[in-house]
Amino acid sequence: MSKTLKVKGVGWDISAIGNAVWGGAKLADVLELIGINKPSQITPSGGKHVEFISIDKCKEENGGPYKASIPLSQATNPEADVLLAYEMNGEPLNRDHGYPLRVIVPGVIGARSVKWLDSINILAEECQGFFMQRDYKMFPPSVNWDNINWSTRRPQMDFPVQSAICSLEDVNVVKPGKITIKGYAVSGGGRGIERVDVSVDGGKTWMEASRFQKAGVPYTSDDASSDKWAWVLFKVEADIPMSAEIVAKAVDTAANVQPEDVEVIWNLRGILNTSWHRVHVRVGHSSM
């Protein structure tokens, strides 16, 4: 995005995402133990949001703890699968991932999955923490740092449909013949991936990639055998010309599709660049 116009934020590159098997207690079950039914929109005392407070202190909170919240309706919905997690990939959480306990809010940007959990509060209003109210919000291209009004936008929750090519780096040199193009696609809110389109000519023509979550098992979006929160891997083989712009774009089950260009989704905070992933490669020939 900064190539279009300078943005402020941590300089993430492509594929800033992780995918793991999480183990823990469902938040909905824990809340039920203190008398909050599932699902619930509001508690008898007027609570509508569940706030997570971290042990981690940060300068943005003037030395106070990192915190975030989600709606009570999401926290108490068993189908939303919000976890108080203490395991990752079959092992106890390590320190960097939030030991001993963290929140996992699947299908939602990682800023809401609070690590190093200290306490949980039931609130009538949304969490007023810095990272809920003055960061991680999506503004239109017309907003700049002189005219921004943070209160006009809701905190970002679900993440948009996105994909990335992982088998090739930008400006790779490849051997003549067929190449294999592989990567992942994912969409927020538990929406499945309906298809992944790949182009080797910058988007003039397209091929549909095969999709899978487990090796050798074809993926069907919204099928009982698929994991609605996990990424979907894709693969396609193609012959490429002497130099090629390889592009991937994904479509989710709600027919949301990635935008073609980053310029149309530019925002001053630099979040959610889900435009087509483009990788430039050229064919190299060995010489005697």
Side-chain angles (χ1 to χ4, degrees), residues 37-250:
N37 295 329
K38 50 187 177 188
S40 292
Q41 299 281 340
I42 187 171
T43 66
S45 59
K48 293 181 181 178
H49 300 267
V50 179
E51 181 184 55
F52 309 113
I53 308 289
S54 177
I55 293 168
D56 194 28
K57 304 297 193 290
C58 49
K59 66 179 187 298
E60 293 87 354
E61 297 286 3
N62 298 314
Y66 184 97
K67 52 190 174 181
S69 69
I70 62 173
L72 181 72
S73 57
Q74 182 177 16
T76 58
N77 179 4
E79 299 300 314
D81 291 330
V82 181
L83 280 185
L84 301 179
Y86 43 78
E87 291 179 353
M88 179 179 176
N89 293 330
E91 298 180 353
L93 277 181
N94 65 29
R95 184 188 64 180
D96 288 350
H97 288 291
Y99 175 87
L101 193 68
R102 70 170 296 173
V103 185
I104 292 293
V105 188
V108 168
I109 67 167
R112 315 307 173 210
S113 288
V114 174
K115 298 179 182 179
W116 309 293
L117 186 64
D118 177 75
S119 56
I120 299 172
N121 299 318
I122 309 299
L123 306 177
E125 303 294 334
E126 195 173 73
C127 168
Q128 294 302 299
F130 179 91
F131 293 98
M132 286 288 290
Q133 301 304 330
R134 298 182 65 81
D135 203 347
Y136 297 117
K137 292 184 175 184
M138 185 72 157
F139 285 88
S142 57
V143 172
N144 58 48
W145 292 107
D146 294 325
N147 64 16
I148 189 170
N149 180 351
W150 288 99
S151 65
T152 60
R153 303 290 154 179
R154 59 183 290 278
Q156 186 65 39
M157 299 302 277
D158 288 9
F159 50 82
V161 63
Q162 56 196 276
S163 64
I165 297 163
C166 299
S167 58
L168 297 164
E169 296 284 344
D170 206 20
V171 204
N172 264 169
V173 177
V174 298
K175 295 177 181 177
K178 280 190 179 296
I179 64 166
T180 301
I181 303 161
K182 297 187 288 186
Y184 71 82
V186 66
S187 189
R191 292 177 289 276
I193 298 298
E194 190 61 29
R195 72 173 199 270
V196 178
D197 301 325
V198 175
S199 172
V200 296
D201 55 15
K204 296 183 179 69
T205 61
W206 298 91
M207 303 166 285
E208 185 174 354
S210 61
R211 293 162 295 141
F212 60 95
Q213 287 182 320
K214 299 186 180 83
V217 181
Y219 165 85
T220 304
S221 57
D222 291 348
D223 188 76
S225 65
S226 65
D227 189 328
K228 65 182 179 179
W229 305 120
W231 60 22
V232 176
L233 304 179
F234 68 84
K235 178 179 178 180
V236 69
E237 290 189 342
D239 289 303
I240 62 167
M242 290 300 293
S243 62
E245 182 183 44
I246 301 176
V247 180
K249 65 178 173 75

